[in-house]
């Protein structure tokens, strides 16, 4: 039986997270633009928390929640090992983030680039609701807007 654990990301995890992010970028195009400092990109100062999802001790997913305003938080840097997509791991990370935000008294939102890689459809299937679109100039020919989603209401 596979052991799945979501735990706080440690400094010792960062190198593995950057390596996994590189695989995700290569196969799924996320992030759209590769950061000059991937470790720094995975460590924003405004983070309320950073977590990894492990399968039998191996990092298979990553998630950060950052503060936006006093009553909202953003899901950021969410990615899953490309070899393990469609196994529900991304949804587990989203549910974890939603619970964390609720404990903080914050509504959870996220921004996703509207691209051809299926992220928009993933969030829609997970019950997230589109609440706005923002034009972007940094997406080049790959993307022209970001879509803002709001987490589904918790039961």
């Amino acid at each position: 039986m596979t052991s799945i654990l979501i735990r706080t990301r440690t400094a010792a995890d960062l190198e593995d997270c950057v390596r996994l992010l590189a695989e995700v970028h290569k196969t799924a195009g996320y992030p759209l633009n590769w950061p000059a400092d991937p470790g720094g990109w995975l460590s924003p100062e405004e983070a309320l928390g950073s977590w990894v999802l492990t399968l039998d001790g191996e990092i298979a997913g990553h998630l950060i929640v950052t503060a936006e305003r006093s009553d909202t938080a953003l899901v950021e840097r969410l990615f899953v090992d490309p070899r393990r997509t469609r196994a529900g791991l991304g949804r587990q990370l989203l549910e974890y983030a939603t619970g964390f935000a609720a404990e903080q008294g914050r509504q959870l939102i996220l921004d996703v680039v509207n691209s051809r890689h299926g992220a928009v459809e993933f969030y829609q299937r997970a019950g997230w609701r589109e609440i706005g679109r923002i034009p972007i100039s940094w997406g080049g020919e790959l993307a022209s807007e970001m879509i803002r989603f709001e987490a589904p209401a918790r039961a």
Side-chain angles (χ1 to χ4, degrees):
M1 176 176 239
T2 301
S3 170
I4 298 174
L5 174 67
I6 296 175
R7 63 169 173 78
T8 300
R9 190 189 79 199
T10 67
D13 295 325
L14 193 55
E15 186 176 323
D16 288 337
C17 291
V18 168
R19 190 173 17 261
L20 181 58
L21 181 64
E23 290 177 36
V24 171
H25 179 71
K26 180 179 174 184
T27 60
Y30 177 81
L32 189 62
N33 298 313
W34 184 253
D37 175 11
W41 188 76
L42 289 175
S43 305
E45 289 182 22
E46 64 277 12
L48 297 171
S50 302
W51 300 273
V52 292
L53 181 146
T54 63
L55 292 177
D56 297 328
E58 180 183 338
I59 294 174
H62 181 272
L63 165 75
I64 295 175
V65 173
T66 59
E68 184 183 55
R69 297 187 311 258
S70 62
D71 62 340
T72 58
L74 284 168
V75 168
E76 297 195 69
R77 290 24 170 206
L78 171 61
F79 55 91
V80 172
D81 185 331
R83 299 169 296 161
R84 295 181 167 109
T85 58
R86 301 223 177 254
L89 304 179
R91 191 173 292 227
Q92 288 183 47
L93 285 164
L94 278 178
E95 289 171 3
Y96 188 90
T98 303
F100 173 79
E103 290 172 4
Q104 302 287 313
R106 296 173 187 259
Q107 173 62 39
L108 195 60
I109 56 178
L110 62 83
D111 295 321
V112 63
V113 173
N114 189 10
S115 69
R116 61 184 184 276
H117 297 293
V120 169
E121 293 79 10
F122 165 73
Y123 295 117
Q124 290 170 334
R125 284 191 312 271
W128 288 60
R129 184 175 66 89
E130 181 180 328
I131 58 173
R133 292 180 180 237
I134 305 159
I136 59 172
S137 59
W138 48 264
E141 295 179 5
L142 299 174
S144 60
E145 64 185 355
M146 297 255 295
I147 302 174
R148 178 156 278 200
F149 284 92
E150 177 180 67
R154 289 180 59 88

